[in-house]
Amino acid sequence: MDELALEFDDTCNLAKAKVLEGVLSQEKLQALQPVDTKLGHMSEQGAELWAEEALRADPAWQELRTIARQAYLDFDL
């Protein structure tokens, strides 16, 4: 599961580059920030949160899904 956070980090870095190129708006980049922040907090909580069972049962993952849904909607400004 930690690959998810790494891939999202790569996506955020790409999005930042696209903002600098003028291809992506700052508002769209900001839509990704809550997901990045939540993943960062989750990464600090330890390996147990990244186990398959936690993915299904831990409330942090449900919160991340909610934040990601909102980011998806906000990204499509």
Side-chain angles (χ1 to χ4, degrees):
M1 293 299 127
D2 57 340
E3 292 89 15
L4 174 71
L6 293 172
E7 286 184 28
F8 189 79
D9 188 53
D10 289 344
T11 300
C12 284
N13 288 331
L14 178 61
K16 289 173 188 174
K18 294 301 179 185
V19 169
L20 292 175
E21 292 173 14
V23 177
L24 189 68
S25 71
Q26 185 67 35
E27 291 79 15
K28 290 196 179 213
L29 176 62
Q30 288 174 345
L32 301 176
Q33 189 59 47
V35 177
D36 192 42
T37 299
K38 180 65 177 173
L39 283 169
H41 290 198
M42 289 172 68
S43 293
E44 294 170 359
Q45 293 181 14
E48 304 82 33
L49 189 58
W50 297 88
E52 190 172 334
E53 179 60 31
L55 176 64
R56 290 189 295 272
D58 196 291
W61 283 101
Q62 182 57 44
E63 184 179 349
L64 178 62
R65 288 182 192 97
T66 300
I67 292 169
R69 270 188 220 97
Q70 187 60 52
Y72 175 78
L73 295 172
D74 291 347
F75 194 84
D76 194 34
L77 299 171

